[in-house]
Amino acid sequence: MTARLIDGKAVAADLRRAIAARVATLGYRPGLRVVRVGEDPASGVYVRNKDKAAQEAGFDSATLHLPEATTEAELLAVVARLNADPAVDGILVQLPLPRHIRAEAVISAVAPEKDVDGFHPLNAGRLASGEPGLVPCTPKGVMHLLRAAGCSLPGARALVVGRSTIVGRPMAQLLLAADCTVTIAHSRTRDLAAECRRAEILVAAVGRPEMVRGDWVAEGATVIDVGINRLESGRLVGDVEFEAACRRAEAITPVPGGVGPMTIACLLENTLDAAIARRGA
Ligand SMILES: Nc1nc2c(c(=O)[nH]1)N[C@@H](CN(C=O)c1ccc(C(=O)N[C@@H](CCC(=O)O)C(=O)O)cc1)CN2
């Protein structure tokens, strides 16, 4: 079997077009502010791409780039100002932050109704309770991809490899909300290979290059690779051994061009939802 590729670029482009069309019907431009602290080069690329996508969709978007030496108190003051600004519908603080700033303190300081990353504990709690709220962009994007790929979710055995608060946990909650039978695997899981081989839907979000071996993939599985790892050669690879997995999976996301583009499209979707919730349609 050679797996069908799930084209994240195309699905993201469709979603972005639909969002732009909806924005054009509003009597205002949804406001997005992305805060970047320091000089992490990858963050620089992601923040630029977010700003560009937001502008293209008709948002009022801007990036606040603060120096590496910004203190936690200074960053919290910036967040407080954005919370109070009526022109701002969505606030995103790009991660990772410099080591001297506690990410949890900053995430908790963002007003939950403007938390377009969906990382605030209130939004995490809403997701866990099955209540409506803002949902983290990467797992939300994965759900769009599974649906676009025609994957049948109710009752499916889904395995999420990784338990981060940003991807693994919300991913498991979203799959559960879609009636999958969900397992979360992590660094202490015994016999990860056996767990993977049982999965009809396998979501890898561990951040370790090609850790999920091709022969761990069940015949006919749908494989979603959330990992984006840059090797010393400069090549980007996912968390799944792609070529070997393609021989067993029915459908698979590539890296790049799979989940990554969906993260940005879903940021726009969250910002549009936050704007409509605050200001109306
Ligand atoms: N506040 C946040 N910080 C971070 C998040 C997040 O959702 N919120 N996620 C990641 C980085 N990220 C967005 O911020 C992101 C990563 C990758 C991509 C993407 O499109 N990747 C491309 C490849 C890009 C390349 O060549 O390097 C792809 O997969 O095709 C988009 C967004 C951490 N921080």
Side-chain angles (χ1 to χ4, degrees), residues 88-144:
V88 175
D89 298 292
I91 303 167
L92 178 147
V93 180
Q94 186 65 28
L95 302 177
L97 286 168
R99 293 165 66 93
H100 62 276
I101 298 179
R102 292 169 305 146
E104 325 78 66
V106 177
I107 287 167
S108 298
V110 174
E113 68 277 13
K114 296 189 179 187
D115 167 38
V116 287
D117 251 335
F119 294 164
H120 191 285
L122 189 74
N123 284 318
R126 284 177 175 148
L127 179 61
S129 316
E131 288 172 35
L134 290 161
V135 171
C137 302
T138 299
K140 190 175 185 184
V142 170
M143 296 309 290
H144 276 294

Short mmCIF file of all heavy atoms in Angstrom, two decimals, residues 88-144:
data_model
loop_
_atom_site.label_atom_id
_atom_site.label_comp_id
_atom_site.label_asym_id
_atom_site.label_seq_id
_atom_site.Cartn_x
_atom_site.Cartn_y
_atom_site.Cartn_z
N VAL A 88 -8.61 45.04 19.95
CA VAL A 88 -7.90 43.74 19.91
C VAL A 88 -8.87 42.62 20.27
O VAL A 88 -9.42 42.58 21.36
CB VAL A 88 -6.70 43.75 20.88
CG1 VAL A 88 -6.04 42.37 20.94
CG2 VAL A 88 -5.69 44.80 20.46
N ASP A 89 -9.06 41.69 19.32
CA ASP A 89 -9.92 40.52 19.56
C ASP A 89 -9.11 39.30 19.96
O ASP A 89 -9.61 38.44 20.69
CB ASP A 89 -10.71 40.20 18.28
CG ASP A 89 -11.62 41.34 17.90
OD1 ASP A 89 -12.58 41.58 18.62
OD2 ASP A 89 -11.34 42.02 16.88
N GLY A 90 -7.88 39.20 19.44
CA GLY A 90 -7.08 38.01 19.71
C GLY A 90 -5.66 38.38 20.10
O GLY A 90 -5.05 39.26 19.49
N ILE A 91 -5.14 37.70 21.14
CA ILE A 91 -3.76 37.92 21.61
C ILE A 91 -3.05 36.57 21.57
O ILE A 91 -3.58 35.56 22.07
CB ILE A 91 -3.74 38.45 23.06
CG1 ILE A 91 -4.55 39.74 23.17
CG2 ILE A 91 -2.30 38.65 23.56
CD1 ILE A 91 -4.85 40.13 24.63
N LEU A 92 -1.86 36.57 21.01
CA LEU A 92 -1.06 35.34 20.99
C LEU A 92 0.36 35.69 21.41
O LEU A 92 0.96 36.61 20.85
CB LEU A 92 -1.07 34.76 19.57
CG LEU A 92 -0.26 33.50 19.34
CD1 LEU A 92 -0.94 32.64 18.29
CD2 LEU A 92 1.16 33.80 18.90
N VAL A 93 0.86 35.01 22.40
CA VAL A 93 2.26 35.20 22.81
C VAL A 93 3.04 34.01 22.26
O VAL A 93 2.79 32.85 22.64
CB VAL A 93 2.39 35.27 24.35
CG1 VAL A 93 3.86 35.47 24.74
CG2 VAL A 93 1.53 36.40 24.91
N GLN A 94 3.93 34.29 21.33
CA GLN A 94 4.66 33.22 20.65
C GLN A 94 5.56 32.46 21.63
O GLN A 94 6.27 33.06 22.43
CB GLN A 94 5.49 33.81 19.49
CG GLN A 94 6.18 32.80 18.62
CD GLN A 94 5.20 31.91 17.84
OE1 GLN A 94 4.08 32.32 17.52
NE2 GLN A 94 5.61 30.70 17.54
N LEU A 95 5.53 31.15 21.55
CA LEU A 95 6.39 30.28 22.38
C LEU A 95 7.49 29.67 21.50
O LEU A 95 7.26 29.46 20.31
CB LEU A 95 5.54 29.17 23.01
CG LEU A 95 4.37 29.64 23.89
CD1 LEU A 95 3.57 28.45 24.38
CD2 LEU A 95 4.88 30.49 25.06
N PRO A 96 8.65 29.38 22.01
CA PRO A 96 9.04 29.49 23.42
C PRO A 96 9.38 30.93 23.82
O PRO A 96 9.81 31.73 22.99
CB PRO A 96 10.29 28.61 23.50
CG PRO A 96 10.90 28.70 22.13
CD PRO A 96 9.74 28.82 21.18
N LEU A 97 9.20 31.19 25.13
CA LEU A 97 9.63 32.48 25.70
C LEU A 97 11.04 32.31 26.27
O LEU A 97 11.46 31.18 26.56
CB LEU A 97 8.67 32.86 26.83
CG LEU A 97 7.29 33.35 26.37
CD1 LEU A 97 6.33 33.42 27.55
CD2 LEU A 97 7.40 34.71 25.69
N PRO A 98 11.78 33.42 26.44
CA PRO A 98 13.08 33.31 27.10
C PRO A 98 12.94 32.63 28.47
O PRO A 98 11.88 32.71 29.10
CB PRO A 98 13.51 34.77 27.26
CG PRO A 98 12.74 35.52 26.22
CD PRO A 98 11.45 34.79 26.03
N ARG A 99 14.01 31.97 28.90
CA ARG A 99 13.94 31.11 30.09
C ARG A 99 13.58 31.86 31.37
O ARG A 99 13.04 31.26 32.31
CB ARG A 99 15.28 30.38 30.28
CG ARG A 99 15.56 29.38 29.17
CD ARG A 99 17.02 28.97 29.18
NE ARG A 99 17.35 28.24 30.40
CZ ARG A 99 17.30 26.91 30.50
NH1 ARG A 99 16.95 26.19 29.45
NH2 ARG A 99 17.61 26.32 31.61
N HIS A 100 13.86 33.18 31.41
CA HIS A 100 13.58 33.90 32.66
C HIS A 100 12.11 34.29 32.79
O HIS A 100 11.71 34.89 33.79
CB HIS A 100 14.49 35.15 32.77
CG HIS A 100 14.26 36.14 31.67
ND1 HIS A 100 14.86 36.04 30.44
CD2 HIS A 100 13.48 37.23 31.61
CE1 HIS A 100 14.47 37.05 29.67
NE2 HIS A 100 13.63 37.79 30.36
N ILE A 101 11.29 33.96 31.79
CA ILE A 101 9.86 34.30 31.85
C ILE A 101 9.06 33.00 31.97
O ILE A 101 9.26 32.05 31.21
CB ILE A 101 9.43 35.07 30.58
CG1 ILE A 101 10.20 36.38 30.48
CG2 ILE A 101 7.92 35.33 30.60
CD1 ILE A 101 9.87 37.21 29.25
N ARG A 102 8.14 32.97 32.97
CA ARG A 102 7.31 31.77 33.15
C ARG A 102 6.15 31.80 32.16
O ARG A 102 5.25 32.64 32.26
CB ARG A 102 6.77 31.72 34.59
CG ARG A 102 7.85 31.48 35.66
CD ARG A 102 7.29 31.71 37.04
NE ARG A 102 6.69 33.04 37.14
CZ ARG A 102 5.62 33.34 37.88
NH1 ARG A 102 5.02 32.42 38.60
NH2 ARG A 102 5.15 34.58 37.90
N ALA A 103 6.20 30.86 31.21
CA ALA A 103 5.16 30.84 30.16
C ALA A 103 3.77 30.70 30.78
O ALA A 103 2.82 31.36 30.33
CB ALA A 103 5.43 29.69 29.19
N GLU A 104 3.64 29.87 31.85
CA GLU A 104 2.30 29.65 32.44
C GLU A 104 1.72 30.95 32.99
O GLU A 104 0.50 31.19 32.89
CB GLU A 104 2.32 28.63 33.60
CG GLU A 104 3.29 27.47 33.45
CD GLU A 104 4.71 27.88 33.78
OE1 GLU A 104 4.97 28.21 34.94
OE2 GLU A 104 5.55 27.87 32.86
N ALA A 105 2.61 31.79 33.58
CA ALA A 105 2.12 33.06 34.15
C ALA A 105 1.59 33.95 33.04
O ALA A 105 0.57 34.63 33.19
CB ALA A 105 3.25 33.75 34.91
N VAL A 106 2.27 33.95 31.91
CA VAL A 106 1.88 34.82 30.80
C VAL A 106 0.60 34.29 30.15
O VAL A 106 -0.34 35.04 29.86
CB VAL A 106 3.04 34.92 29.78
CG1 VAL A 106 2.64 35.76 28.58
CG2 VAL A 106 4.29 35.49 30.45
N ILE A 107 0.56 32.98 29.94
CA ILE A 107 -0.63 32.37 29.31
C ILE A 107 -1.87 32.65 30.17
O ILE A 107 -2.94 32.98 29.66
CB ILE A 107 -0.40 30.84 29.15
CG1 ILE A 107 0.60 30.59 28.01
CG2 ILE A 107 -1.70 30.09 28.90
CD1 ILE A 107 1.16 29.18 27.96
N SER A 108 -1.72 32.55 31.49
CA SER A 108 -2.87 32.76 32.38
C SER A 108 -3.28 34.22 32.45
O SER A 108 -4.38 34.53 32.92
CB SER A 108 -2.54 32.27 33.80
OG SER A 108 -2.28 30.90 33.75
N ALA A 109 -2.40 35.12 32.00
CA ALA A 109 -2.70 36.55 32.07
C ALA A 109 -3.52 37.03 30.87
O ALA A 109 -4.13 38.09 30.91
CB ALA A 109 -1.40 37.36 32.16
N VAL A 110 -3.53 36.24 29.80
CA VAL A 110 -4.29 36.63 28.61
C VAL A 110 -5.78 36.48 28.92
O VAL A 110 -6.20 35.47 29.49
CB VAL A 110 -3.91 35.73 27.40
CG1 VAL A 110 -4.79 36.03 26.19
CG2 VAL A 110 -2.44 35.91 27.05
N ALA A 111 -6.58 37.49 28.56
CA ALA A 111 -8.03 37.39 28.80
C ALA A 111 -8.57 36.16 28.07
O ALA A 111 -8.31 36.01 26.86
CB ALA A 111 -8.72 38.65 28.29
N PRO A 112 -9.30 35.27 28.75
CA PRO A 112 -9.73 34.02 28.11
C PRO A 112 -10.50 34.25 26.81
O PRO A 112 -10.36 33.47 25.87
CB PRO A 112 -10.63 33.37 29.17
CG PRO A 112 -10.15 33.93 30.46
CD PRO A 112 -9.66 35.32 30.19
N GLU A 113 -11.26 35.34 26.72
CA GLU A 113 -12.05 35.59 25.50
C GLU A 113 -11.19 36.09 24.34
O GLU A 113 -11.63 36.12 23.20
CB GLU A 113 -13.22 36.55 25.77
CG GLU A 113 -12.84 37.98 26.10
CD GLU A 113 -12.47 38.21 27.58
OE1 GLU A 113 -12.26 37.22 28.31
OE2 GLU A 113 -12.36 39.40 27.96
N LYS A 114 -9.90 36.47 24.64
CA LYS A 114 -8.98 36.89 23.58
C LYS A 114 -7.86 35.87 23.36
O LYS A 114 -6.93 36.10 22.58
CB LYS A 114 -8.37 38.26 23.94
CG LYS A 114 -9.38 39.39 24.02
CD LYS A 114 -8.71 40.75 24.17
CE LYS A 114 -9.74 41.87 24.21
NZ LYS A 114 -9.12 43.21 24.18
N ASP A 115 -7.96 34.74 24.05
CA ASP A 115 -6.90 33.73 24.06
C ASP A 115 -7.00 32.86 22.80
O ASP A 115 -7.45 31.71 22.85
CB ASP A 115 -7.07 32.89 25.34
CG ASP A 115 -6.25 31.63 25.34
OD1 ASP A 115 -5.10 31.66 24.85
OD2 ASP A 115 -6.78 30.59 25.81
N VAL A 116 -6.56 33.41 21.66
CA VAL A 116 -6.74 32.71 20.38
C VAL A 116 -5.79 31.52 20.23
O VAL A 116 -5.91 30.75 19.27
CB VAL A 116 -6.62 33.68 19.19
CG1 VAL A 116 -7.87 34.55 19.11
CG2 VAL A 116 -5.38 34.55 19.28
N ASP A 117 -4.86 31.34 21.16
CA ASP A 117 -4.04 30.13 21.21
C ASP A 117 -4.80 29.00 21.92
O ASP A 117 -4.40 27.85 21.83
CB ASP A 117 -2.76 30.41 22.01
CG ASP A 117 -1.52 30.45 21.13
OD1 ASP A 117 -1.53 29.82 20.06
OD2 ASP A 117 -0.54 31.11 21.54
N GLY A 118 -5.83 29.36 22.69
CA GLY A 118 -6.59 28.35 23.45
C GLY A 118 -5.78 27.70 24.55
O GLY A 118 -6.10 26.58 24.97
N PHE A 119 -4.76 28.40 25.05
CA PHE A 119 -3.87 27.80 26.07
C PHE A 119 -4.28 28.15 27.50
O PHE A 119 -3.78 27.56 28.46
CB PHE A 119 -2.43 28.27 25.88
CG PHE A 119 -1.76 27.80 24.61
CD1 PHE A 119 -0.59 28.41 24.17
CD2 PHE A 119 -2.27 26.75 23.86
CE1 PHE A 119 0.05 28.00 23.00
CE2 PHE A 119 -1.65 26.32 22.69
CZ PHE A 119 -0.48 26.95 22.26
N HIS A 120 -5.14 29.17 27.67
CA HIS A 120 -5.51 29.60 29.03
C HIS A 120 -6.19 28.44 29.78
O HIS A 120 -6.98 27.70 29.18
CB HIS A 120 -6.47 30.79 28.93
CG HIS A 120 -6.71 31.46 30.25
ND1 HIS A 120 -7.52 30.89 31.23
CD2 HIS A 120 -6.25 32.63 30.76
CE1 HIS A 120 -7.54 31.69 32.28
NE2 HIS A 120 -6.78 32.76 32.02
N PRO A 121 -5.90 28.30 31.08
CA PRO A 121 -6.49 27.17 31.84
C PRO A 121 -8.02 27.13 31.75
O PRO A 121 -8.60 26.05 31.76
CB PRO A 121 -6.04 27.43 33.28
CG PRO A 121 -4.82 28.28 33.16
CD PRO A 121 -4.93 29.07 31.88
N LEU A 122 -8.66 28.31 31.63
CA LEU A 122 -10.12 28.30 31.52
C LEU A 122 -10.56 27.65 30.21
O LEU A 122 -11.50 26.84 30.18
CB LEU A 122 -10.67 29.74 31.58
CG LEU A 122 -12.18 29.82 31.70
CD1 LEU A 122 -12.64 29.45 33.10
CD2 LEU A 122 -12.66 31.22 31.34
N ASN A 123 -9.87 27.98 29.12
CA ASN A 123 -10.21 27.35 27.84
C ASN A 123 -9.85 25.87 27.83
O ASN A 123 -10.57 25.05 27.25
CB ASN A 123 -9.54 28.11 26.68
CG ASN A 123 -10.27 29.42 26.39
OD1 ASN A 123 -11.50 29.46 26.38
ND2 ASN A 123 -9.53 30.49 26.17
N ALA A 124 -8.74 25.52 28.47
CA ALA A 124 -8.37 24.09 28.58
C ALA A 124 -9.44 23.34 29.37
O ALA A 124 -9.83 22.22 29.01
CB ALA A 124 -7.01 23.96 29.25
N GLY A 125 -9.94 23.96 30.44
CA GLY A 125 -10.99 23.35 31.26
C GLY A 125 -12.29 23.20 30.49
O GLY A 125 -12.97 22.18 30.60
N ARG A 126 -12.61 24.24 29.70
CA ARG A 126 -13.83 24.15 28.88
C ARG A 126 -13.74 22.98 27.91
O ARG A 126 -14.70 22.24 27.73
CB ARG A 126 -14.02 25.46 28.10
CG ARG A 126 -14.54 26.58 28.95
CD ARG A 126 -14.63 27.85 28.12
NE ARG A 126 -15.24 28.93 28.88
CZ ARG A 126 -14.94 30.20 28.73
NH1 ARG A 126 -14.04 30.58 27.84
NH2 ARG A 126 -15.54 31.12 29.46
N LEU A 127 -12.56 22.86 27.28
CA LEU A 127 -12.39 21.77 26.30
C LEU A 127 -12.54 20.41 27.01
O LEU A 127 -13.24 19.51 26.52
CB LEU A 127 -11.01 21.89 25.64
CG LEU A 127 -10.65 20.82 24.61
CD1 LEU A 127 -11.62 20.83 23.44
CD2 LEU A 127 -9.22 21.04 24.09
N ALA A 128 -11.92 20.30 28.18
CA ALA A 128 -11.99 19.03 28.93
C ALA A 128 -13.42 18.72 29.39
O ALA A 128 -13.79 17.56 29.54
CB ALA A 128 -11.04 19.07 30.11
N SER A 129 -14.22 19.79 29.61
CA SER A 129 -15.61 19.59 30.07
C SER A 129 -16.58 19.49 28.92
O SER A 129 -17.79 19.42 29.14
CB SER A 129 -16.05 20.75 30.96
OG SER A 129 -15.06 21.09 31.87
N GLY A 130 -16.08 19.60 27.69
CA GLY A 130 -16.97 19.53 26.53
C GLY A 130 -17.78 20.80 26.33
O GLY A 130 -18.81 20.79 25.68
N GLU A 131 -17.31 21.92 26.92
CA GLU A 131 -18.01 23.21 26.74
C GLU A 131 -17.36 23.99 25.61
O GLU A 131 -16.16 23.84 25.36
CB GLU A 131 -17.88 24.05 28.01
CG GLU A 131 -18.69 23.57 29.17
CD GLU A 131 -18.34 24.34 30.43
OE1 GLU A 131 -18.05 25.55 30.32
OE2 GLU A 131 -18.33 23.73 31.49
N PRO A 132 -18.12 24.89 24.95
CA PRO A 132 -17.51 25.68 23.88
C PRO A 132 -16.46 26.65 24.41
O PRO A 132 -16.61 27.17 25.53
CB PRO A 132 -18.70 26.44 23.25
CG PRO A 132 -19.85 26.27 24.18
CD PRO A 132 -19.55 25.14 25.12
N GLY A 133 -15.41 26.86 23.66
CA GLY A 133 -14.34 27.79 24.06
C GLY A 133 -13.32 27.84 22.95
O GLY A 133 -13.50 27.21 21.90
N LEU A 134 -12.25 28.59 23.17
CA LEU A 134 -11.19 28.66 22.16
C LEU A 134 -10.27 27.45 22.32
O LEU A 134 -9.87 27.11 23.44
CB LEU A 134 -10.43 29.98 22.31
CG LEU A 134 -11.26 31.21 21.89
CD1 LEU A 134 -10.68 32.50 22.47
CD2 LEU A 134 -11.36 31.30 20.37
N VAL A 135 -9.97 26.81 21.19
CA VAL A 135 -9.28 25.51 21.19
C VAL A 135 -7.89 25.69 20.58
O VAL A 135 -7.74 26.40 19.58
CB VAL A 135 -10.11 24.51 20.34
CG1 VAL A 135 -9.36 23.22 20.11
CG2 VAL A 135 -11.45 24.23 21.01
N PRO A 136 -6.84 25.08 21.14
CA PRO A 136 -5.48 25.22 20.58
C PRO A 136 -5.43 24.92 19.08
O PRO A 136 -6.08 23.98 18.59
CB PRO A 136 -4.65 24.23 21.39
CG PRO A 136 -5.36 24.17 22.71
CD PRO A 136 -6.84 24.28 22.37
N CYS A 137 -4.66 25.75 18.37
CA CYS A 137 -4.71 25.77 16.90
C CYS A 137 -4.22 24.47 16.26
O CYS A 137 -4.80 24.01 15.28
CB CYS A 137 -3.88 26.94 16.39
SG CYS A 137 -4.42 28.52 17.04
N THR A 138 -3.14 23.90 16.78
CA THR A 138 -2.58 22.71 16.11
C THR A 138 -3.54 21.52 16.19
O THR A 138 -3.88 20.93 15.15
CB THR A 138 -1.18 22.39 16.67
OG1 THR A 138 -0.34 23.52 16.41
CG2 THR A 138 -0.59 21.16 16.02
N PRO A 139 -4.04 21.15 17.38
CA PRO A 139 -5.00 20.04 17.41
C PRO A 139 -6.29 20.34 16.66
O PRO A 139 -6.87 19.44 16.04
CB PRO A 139 -5.27 19.82 18.91
CG PRO A 139 -4.52 20.84 19.65
CD PRO A 139 -3.63 21.58 18.73
N LYS A 140 -6.72 21.61 16.68
CA LYS A 140 -7.91 21.97 15.92
C LYS A 140 -7.65 21.73 14.43
O LYS A 140 -8.50 21.21 13.71
CB LYS A 140 -8.24 23.45 16.19
CG LYS A 140 -9.58 23.88 15.66
CD LYS A 140 -9.87 25.32 16.07
CE LYS A 140 -11.27 25.72 15.65
NZ LYS A 140 -11.56 27.12 15.94
N GLY A 141 -6.46 22.10 13.99
CA GLY A 141 -6.09 21.88 12.59
C GLY A 141 -6.06 20.40 12.24
O GLY A 141 -6.46 20.01 11.14
N VAL A 142 -5.61 19.58 13.17
CA VAL A 142 -5.59 18.12 12.93
C VAL A 142 -7.01 17.61 12.70
O VAL A 142 -7.26 16.79 11.81
CB VAL A 142 -4.92 17.38 14.11
CG1 VAL A 142 -5.11 15.87 13.98
CG2 VAL A 142 -3.44 17.74 14.19
N MET A 143 -7.97 18.11 13.50
CA MET A 143 -9.37 17.66 13.32
C MET A 143 -9.88 18.05 11.94
O MET A 143 -10.57 17.27 11.28
CB MET A 143 -10.27 18.24 14.42
CG MET A 143 -9.93 17.78 15.83
SD MET A 143 -9.81 16.00 16.03
CE MET A 143 -11.50 15.47 15.86
N HIS A 144 -9.53 19.27 11.49
CA HIS A 144 -9.92 19.67 10.13
C HIS A 144 -9.33 18.69 9.11
O HIS A 144 -10.00 18.30 8.15
CB HIS A 144 -9.37 21.07 9.80
CG HIS A 144 -10.22 22.21 10.30
ND1 HIS A 144 -11.48 22.46 9.81
CD2 HIS A 144 -9.97 23.19 11.20
CE1 HIS A 144 -11.97 23.54 10.40
NE2 HIS A 144 -11.08 23.99 11.26
#
